[in-house]
Amino acid sequence: MADPMKRLPAQPVERALKVISGRWKAIILYQLFDGPRRLTELRRLVPAITQKVLIQQLREMEEHGLVSREIFRQLPPRVDYRATALGLSLAPVIGALCEWGRHHAADQDELDRLSECRFRPPERSQAA
C-alpha cells in the first residue's frame, strides 16, 4: 500500500478535510470519543455502514493517526479501536459540526428529524 502521507495535500484545510472526509469517518470517530469500542459495537452504533466499509474507514483513520487498534491474543480474537490523542483533538470540530447540523436542520424546519448531539468533550486519559 502506498504511503498515505504522500497522498495528502499541502494546503492545511484541504489536508484536514482529506483526512476526515468520507461519509463515515467523523461518525465513527464520534463513537470512539466515549472510549474503546470493538468492531461489533461500532457496527451496532452505525447500523447503515457495511462491515467492509467500516473496516476500510478504520484502517484509513489508523494510517492517518486518528485511531489505534489493539489486538488481544485470545480465543476468539478481540480487537479494540480507540481514538488517539490526535483523533481526540478533533472532538471540538466534530462537536461544532454536530451543532451546526442541528442549526441547519432548524433553519430548514427539519429539526424534528434529528437526534440530539450527545457530545461531551472526551477525557484526555482515553488517548492511546
Side-chain angles (χ1 to χ4, degrees):
M1 181 178 284
D3 182 6
M5 297 307 175
K6 289 183 180 177
R7 297 183 304 226
L8 293 177
Q11 292 290 328
V13 171
E14 188 180 5
R15 181 185 184 102
L17 290 173
K18 176 93 173 170
V19 169
I20 64 170
S21 70
R23 181 174 176 188
W24 303 108
K25 286 182 185 173
I27 297 166
I28 295 166
L29 197 55
Y30 180 84
Q31 297 299 336
L32 293 174
F33 288 157
D34 290 334
R37 304 232 190 240
R38 295 177 75 171
L39 187 67
T40 54
E41 190 175 8
L42 285 170
R43 196 61 182 97
R44 183 181 50 78
L45 291 167
V46 189
I49 193 172
T50 66
Q51 185 160 330
K52 176 184 174 184
V53 172
L54 175 59
I55 291 169
Q56 178 186 21
Q57 298 286 275
L58 285 165
R59 285 182 182 159
E60 287 178 19
M61 288 191 292
E62 188 177 9
E63 287 175 2
H64 292 293
L66 304 179
V67 170
S68 67
R69 175 177 48 149
E70 184 177 3
I71 302 169
F72 295 88
R73 305 283 180 208
Q74 63 186 44
L75 289 176
R78 183 179 126 204
V79 179
D80 282 356
Y81 293 90
R82 73 173 59 233
T84 63
L86 186 60
L88 289 172
S89 72
L90 285 165
V93 175
I94 292 174
L97 285 172
C98 186
E99 290 301 326
W100 186 90
R102 291 192 56 77
H103 174 75
H104 181 266
D107 188 66
Q108 302 296 311
D109 293 324
E110 296 179 344
L111 192 56
D112 59 325
R113 296 181 48 216
L114 296 186
S115 60
E116 291 296 319
C117 294
R118 60 165 189 76
F119 182 79
R120 62 176 187 228
E123 297 177 21
R124 289 292 175 193
S125 62
Q126 293 178 358

